[in-house]
C-alpha cells in the first residue's frame, strides 16, 4: 500500500507483517555490489529496478544500522549514504534520517511523479559489520532486507575483498525467505577474493536474500578499541547528549572564574567582636547573609532580638493556658522610633513589623500576613551588602539569572521535543533536564564576594568560632556584665546561641531589661534563658514565614 505522501516503501525492517499493495509496483531486479576494504569497512552499491503500475513520487529504502547479537548486546554499524542516482548517474533527490534502528532514505521529489520503469542506484559505506572468528573473518549481510511490500523477481550480490594478498580459502553461503529462514533457494560461486550470489526464483513480499562470505584471517584489520568505543557512543545519533556535558563544563568554568570568593588569608583568626564597616559593626542579619548568601529566618529573628538589645523594642513573654499544655506568645512593643543609628535593613524590618500596630502586637498576629514583606526585606538586605561593597551584585539577582536561563532551556527543550520526530522526543526532554541541572546547582553557588566581602566573611567565621567556643577565663577577663545580651543576636544569626549561653555558666550577667518573663528573673542564668530565646525565635520564624496555602514565600 503506498503511503499518504505518494512514496512507495521498498524495504522494511520493522516487525509488522507485510501489507497489501503489491499491484502498485514490482522490483524487477535488486543487485548489490559490495567492496570490502582492508580497514574492515565496506561500500555497497545497490541498483533497484522497479516497475510502477501507478504514478508515485518515489521510494523508501530502509537499511538497519543496529543489531542485537546472541548475547543480547546492541551492535551499531555506522552507515553513511554517499550518493543516490539513476542508472546513468544523474542525481536523484533524497533525504536521510535515522528512525529507530534503521537509516531511512526517502528518494524522490514531492513535486514530481514517476511511473513505469525506474532505476535507483544507492551508494553507502558501512563499518563495524564484519564478524571475526577463530579461523576466518566473515561478512554476513542481509542484502535486500525483509518485509518487502512487493515481490522481487531477481536478487543478486557480488562481493569483492580488496586485499593485497589473496585468501587461500573462501567460505560462502546464502539464504532466502522470511527473517530467520535457513532455506537456500539461491546459488553462489567464489574465486580470487570474490563471490557472486543470486536467487533461483523470485522473492515474495516479506522475503529477502542473505549472504555469508568468509576469508582467511589477517587480510582485513579489525577496528581499534577506540573506534568501537566511538561507534558504541553513536555520536551521530546521540550528539544531543553532549549538551549536558557542555553545560557542566561551562558552569564549572564560570564558577572557577567568577563564582569563587577571592582568597584573603589562609587560616581563620578568632575574632572577639563582629566586623565593622565605616566604624560601625555590621548587623546580625548582614553577618548571617554573608555566611550563606541568603535571607533565612535566623537573620530576621536575630535582628528582632538585636533591636530589643539596642532599646528599640521590648519583648514580653505571655502564657496561654491550654487543656493539656500551655502555649507561649510574645508581645512586641515599640520603645522608640527607628533613627539614623539603625541600618537600612533594621529600619525596614521594624517598620514592617509595626506597620499596622504602631505601639505593639503579638507575634501570633503576624501569621499569614508578614510574609508579604519578605521580598522587600530580602532586597533591602542584599542592597545593603552591595552598598557596603561586600558583593558587586545582589546574590539573589545572580541566582535568578541562572534560574531564568535554566527555564529558557527547558522551554527550548520542550519545543525541540515537539518538532523532532517521535524517536527523539524522549531524548530531547531528558537532555534539556540534564542540561539545566548544572545551571540550577551551580547557579546557587555563583554569587561571589568582593575582597572586602571575603575579608568580612573570614572575620565572621572567626567571630563565630569565639561565640561557639568561648572560654570562661576569657569571658571573665572581658569584664562586661552585658556581654551575653550584646552578642546574643549574632549567636542566633550564626546558629550558636546554645553554645554562647553555656559558656556563661558561673559567670554573672545582668538580666536583660529588654525581655519580660512571666515569672521575672530571680537569678538570671543565660543557659536557662537560651530556652526562652529558642522558643521566641521559633515562634517568630513560624509566624513571619507562614503564608496561606497557595501563596509563595520569599
Amino acid at each position: 500500500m503506498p503511503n499518504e505522501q505518494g512514496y512507495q516503501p521498498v524495504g522494511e525492517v520493522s516487525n509488522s507483517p507485510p501489507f497489501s499493495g503489491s499491484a502498485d509496483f514490482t522490483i524487477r531486479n535488486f543487485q548489490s555490489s559490495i567492496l570490502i576494504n582492508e580497514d574492515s569497512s565496506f561500500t555497497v552499491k545497490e541498483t533497484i529496478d522497479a516497475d510502477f503500475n501507478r504514478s508515485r513520487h518515489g521510494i523508501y529504502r530502509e537499511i538497519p544500522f543496529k543489531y542485537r547479537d546472541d548475547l543480547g548486546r546492541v551492535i551499531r554499524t555506522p552507515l553513511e549514504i554517499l550518493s543516490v542516482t539513476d542508472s546513468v548517474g544523474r542525481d536523484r533527490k533524497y533525504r536521510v534520517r535515522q528512525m529507530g534502528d534503521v537509516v531511512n532514505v526517502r528518494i524522490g521529489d514531492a513535486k514530481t511523479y514517476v511511473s513505469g520503469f525506474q532505476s535507483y542506484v544507492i551508494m553507502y559505506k558501512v563499518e563495524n559489520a564484519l564478524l571475526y572468528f577463530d579461523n576466518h573473518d566473515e561478512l554476513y549481510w542481509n542484502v535486500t532486507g525483509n518485509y518487502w511490500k512487493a515481490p522481487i523477481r531477481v536478487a543478486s550480490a557480488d562481493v569483492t575483498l580488496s586485499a593485497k594478498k589473496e585468501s587461500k580459502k573462501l567460505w560462502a553461503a546464502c539464504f532466502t525467505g522470511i527473517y530467520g529462514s535457513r532455506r537456500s533457494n539461491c546459488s553462489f560461486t567464489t574465486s580470487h577474493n570474490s563471490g557472486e550470489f543470486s536467487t533461483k526464483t523470485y522473492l515474495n513480499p516479506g522475503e529477502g536474500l542473505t549472504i555469508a562470505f568468509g576469508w582467511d584471517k589477517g587480510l582485513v584489520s579489525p577496528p581499534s578499541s577506540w573506534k568501537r568505543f566511538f561507534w558504541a557512543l553513536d555520536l551521530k545519533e546521540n550528539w544531543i547528549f553532549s549538551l549536558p556535558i557542555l553545560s557542566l563544563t561551562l558552569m564549572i568554568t564560570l564558577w572557577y572564574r567568577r563564582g569563587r570568593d577571592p582568597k584573603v588569608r589562609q587560616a581563620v583568626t578568632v575574632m572577639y567582636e563582629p566586623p565593622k564597616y565605616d566604624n560601625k559593626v555590621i548587623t546580625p542579619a548582614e553577618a548571617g547573609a554573608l555566611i550563606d548568601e541568603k535571607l533565612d529566618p535566623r537573620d530576621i529573628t536575630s535582628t528582632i532580638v538585636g533591636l530589643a538589645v539596642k532599646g528599640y523594642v521590648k519583648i514580653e513573654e505571655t502564657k496561654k493556658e491550654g487543656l493539656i499544655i500551655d502555649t507561649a506568645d510574645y508581645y512586641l512593643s515599640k520603645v522608640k522610633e527607628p533613627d539614623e543609628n539603625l541600618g537600612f535593613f533594621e529600619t525596614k524590618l521594624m517598620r514592617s513589623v509595626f506597620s499596622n500596630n504602631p505601639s505593639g502586637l503579638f507575634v501570633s498576629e503576624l501569621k499569614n500576613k508578614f510574609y508579604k514583606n519578605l521580598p522587600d526585606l530580602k532586597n533591602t538586605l542584599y542592597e545593603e551588602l552591595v552598598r557596603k561593597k561586600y558583593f558587586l551584585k545582589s546574590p539573589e539577582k545572580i541566582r535568578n539569572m541562572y534560574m531564568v536561563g535554566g527555564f529558557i532551556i527547558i522551554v527550548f527543550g520542550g519545543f525541540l521535543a515537539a518538532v523532532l520526530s517521535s524517536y527523539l522526543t524522549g531524548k530531547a526532554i531528558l537532555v534539556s533536564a540534564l542540561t539545566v541541572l548544572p545551571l540550577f546547582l551551580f547557579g546557587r553557588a555563583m554569587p561571589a564576594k568582593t575582597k572586602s566581602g571575603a575579608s568580612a566573611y573570614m572575620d565572621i567565621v572567626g567571630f563565630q568560632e569565639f561565640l561557639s567556643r568561648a572560654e570562661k577565663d576569657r569571658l571573665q577577663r572581658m569584664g562586661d556584665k552585658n556581654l551575653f545580651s550584646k552578642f546574643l543576636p549574632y549567636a542566633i544569626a550564626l546558629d550558636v546561641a546554645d553554645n554562647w549561653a553555656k559558656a556563661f555558666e558561673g559567670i554573672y550577667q545582668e538580666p536583660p531589661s529588654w525581655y519580660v518573663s512571666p515569672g521575672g528573673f530571680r537569678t538570671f542564668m543565660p543557659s536557662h534563658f537560651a530556652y526562652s530565646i529558642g522558643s521566641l525565635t521559633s515562634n517568630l520564624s513560624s509566624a513571619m514565614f507562614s503564608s496561606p496555602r497557595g501563596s509563595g514565600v520569599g
Side-chain angles (χ1 to χ4, degrees), residues 228-517:
R228 292 182 185 274
F229 172 72
F230 283 110
W231 288 336
L233 290 180
D234 195 6
L235 294 179
K236 284 187 177 180
E237 181 180 357
N238 297 320
W239 63 268
I240 195 171
F241 284 101
S242 64
L243 297 180
I245 298 174
L246 290 176
S247 173
L248 178 61
T249 303
L250 174 64
M251 290 308 302
I252 290 175
T253 304
L254 284 175
W255 173 81
Y256 187 81
R257 293 182 176 179
R258 300 182 182 180
R260 296 188 305 161
D261 295 340
K263 288 186 177 181
V264 290
R265 54 179 179 267
Q266 294 293 329
V268 174
T269 304
V270 177
M271 306 296 291
Y272 299 103
E273 63 177 359
K276 294 181 178 180
Y277 175 82
D278 198 17
N279 291 323
K280 288 185 178 181
V281 294
I282 66 172
T283 65
E286 291 167 356
L290 276 170
I291 289 292
D292 56 19
E293 299 176 353
K294 63 182 181 180
L295 174 70
D296 53 36
R298 286 197 304 270
D299 299 328
I300 293 182
T301 56
S302 64
T303 303
I304 295 289
V305 174
L307 289 169
V309 173
K310 291 178 178 180
Y312 290 86
V313 174
K314 179 167 282 191
I315 303 170
E316 182 178 352
E317 181 183 348
T318 62
K319 295 289 186 182
K320 292 183 180 179
E321 292 185 1
L323 293 175
I324 300 175
I325 350 176
D326 294 342
T327 57
D329 200 353
Y330 300 87
Y331 188 79
L332 307 178
S333 56
K334 185 195 295 181
V335 177
K336 60 180 180 179
E337 293 292 335
D339 52 32
E340 68 279 358
N341 293 319
L342 294 181
F344 291 114
F345 179 77
E346 292 173 313
T347 301
K348 182 74 174 178
L349 177 59
M350 192 169 173
R351 287 175 177 167
S352 299
V353 170
F354 296 106
S355 59
N356 297 322
N357 305 85
S359 59
L361 76 166
F362 283 99
V363 168
S364 57
E365 295 178 51
L366 299 172
K367 190 173 183 180
N368 293 338
K369 297 177 183 178
F370 188 82
Y371 73 95
K372 298 176 182 178
N373 298 287
L374 294 177
D376 284 343
L377 287 169
K378 184 187 294 185
N379 291 335
T380 302
L381 178 60
Y382 291 149
E383 287 170 3
E384 186 74 349
L385 294 175
V386 172
R387 186 184 70 83
K388 292 182 177 180
K389 296 182 172 56
Y390 292 149
F391 292 93
L392 290 177
K393 292 182 180 179
S394 165
E396 186 73 2
K397 289 181 179 178
I398 293 174
R399 284 190 289 264
N400 287 342
M401 179 180 70
Y402 286 96
M403 289 289 289
V404 170
F407 282 116
I408 289 174
I409 291 176
I410 290 176
V411 172
F412 178 74
F415 171 77
L416 209 62
V419 300
L420 289 176
S421 56
S422 59
Y423 78 98
L424 273 181
T425 301
K427 287 185 180 180
I429 295 172
L430 177 61
V431 165
S432 63
L434 293 176
T435 303
V436 162
L437 194 58
L439 270 74
F440 287 166
L441 294 178
F442 278 87
R444 299 173 64 86
M446 285 305 294
K449 303 176 184 69
T450 62
K451 283 189 176 180
S452 298
S455 180
Y457 170 83
M458 295 295 286
D459 289 342
I460 294 168
V461 174
F463 183 52
Q464 184 183 37
E465 182 73 11
F466 164 65
L467 296 175
S468 179
R469 301 176 183 274
E471 297 177 353
K472 185 175 182 179
D473 57 341
R474 162 66 71 174
L475 297 177
Q476 288 175 330
R477 286 199 304 271
M478 294 177 76
D480 187 346
K481 295 181 180 179
N482 292 302
L483 183 62
F484 171 74
S485 291
K486 180 181 178 181
F487 289 154
L488 178 60
Y490 296 94
I492 295 171
L494 301 175
D495 199 22
V496 291
D498 289 341
N499 294 35
W500 179 240
K502 289 177 182 178
F504 284 89
E505 289 184 2
I507 300 176
Y508 176 77
Q509 289 287 285
E510 291 286 349
S513 59
W514 48 269
Y515 189 94
V516 179
S517 175

Side-chain angles (χ1 to χ4, degrees), residues 5-261:
Q5 296 175 314
Y7 285 85
Q8 183 61 52
V10 172
E12 285 284 337
V13 293
S14 65
N15 291 325
S16 58
F19 53 84
S20 62
S22 59
D24 294 338
F25 78 108
T26 302
I27 303 299
R28 180 188 298 183
N29 181 55
F30 189 111
Q31 202 281 328
S32 179
S33 295
I34 302 171
L35 178 65
I36 302 172
N37 304 310
E38 288 185 323
D39 64 357
S40 76
S41 67
F42 60 88
T43 55
V44 181
K45 178 183 178 182
E46 291 181 352
T47 302
I48 304 170
D49 296 331
D51 290 314
F52 285 89
N53 300 322
R54 293 177 54 191
S55 296
R56 311 305 303 167
H57 290 298
I59 63 172
Y60 287 120
R61 172 68 171 117
E62 291 185 325
I63 310 166
F65 73 101
K66 285 184 184 178
Y67 302 89
R68 193 172 296 276
D69 65 13
D70 295 338
L71 300 176
R73 296 173 300 186
V74 175
I75 306 299
R76 290 173 171 82
T77 56
L79 190 149
E80 178 186 4
I81 302 297
L82 302 177
S83 66
V84 179
T85 66
D86 61 12
S87 59
V88 295
R90 290 176 299 203
D91 290 338
R92 287 188 180 272
K93 285 188 176 182
Y94 68 97
R95 188 182 73 178
V96 179
R97 61 176 180 170
Q98 291 183 0
M99 300 180 63
D101 294 344
V102 302
V103 172
N104 178 284
V105 187
R106 189 176 75 170
I107 308 171
D109 189 342
K111 299 179 181 179
T112 305
Y113 283 89
V114 296
S115 61
F117 175 78
Q118 297 292 325
S119 184
Y120 301 91
V121 180
I122 307 170
M123 288 276 294
Y124 56 91
K125 181 180 179 180
V126 184
E127 295 184 281
N128 198 35
L130 300 184
L131 303 175
Y132 303 93
F133 298 102
D134 293 337
N135 61 344
H136 73 284
D137 299 334
E138 182 180 298
L139 169 68
Y140 187 85
W141 187 247
N142 189 330
V143 175
T144 58
N146 294 94
Y147 294 102
W148 291 87
K149 305 304 183 288
I152 303 172
R153 291 179 180 175
V154 178
S156 61
D158 58 77
V159 183
T160 302
L161 177 63
S162 176
K164 295 176 182 178
K165 297 181 180 180
E166 186 170 318
S167 179
K168 294 180 181 179
K169 187 177 180 181
L170 295 173
W171 291 259
C174 61
F175 307 96
T176 56
I178 62 174
Y179 179 79
S181 170
R182 305 302 293 177
R183 189 177 65 185
S184 296
N185 201 358
C186 52
S187 61
F188 61 85
T189 60
T190 61
S191 65
H192 305 294
N193 284 4
S194 64
E196 294 183 356
F197 303 81
S198 180
T199 57
K200 293 180 179 180
T201 61
Y202 67 88
L203 299 173
N204 288 313
E207 295 182 339
L209 169 66
T210 297
I211 64 172
F213 180 72
W215 56 91
D216 294 338
K217 293 193 70 66
L219 301 182
V220 172
S221 301
S224 66
S225 298
W226 278 110
K227 271 192 173 183
R228 292 182 185 274
F229 172 72
F230 283 110
W231 288 336
L233 290 180
D234 195 6
L235 294 179
K236 284 187 177 180
E237 181 180 357
N238 297 320
W239 63 268
I240 195 171
F241 284 101
S242 64
L243 297 180
I245 298 174
L246 290 176
S247 173
L248 178 61
T249 303
L250 174 64
M251 290 308 302
I252 290 175
T253 304
L254 284 175
W255 173 81
Y256 187 81
R257 293 182 176 179
R258 300 182 182 180
R260 296 188 305 161
D261 295 340

Side-chain angles (χ1 to χ4, degrees), residues 513-532:
S513 59
W514 48 269
Y515 189 94
V516 179
S517 175
F521 296 108
R522 296 180 182 178
T523 302
F524 178 66
M525 299 179 65
S527 56
H528 291 175
F529 183 60
Y531 174 80
S532 298

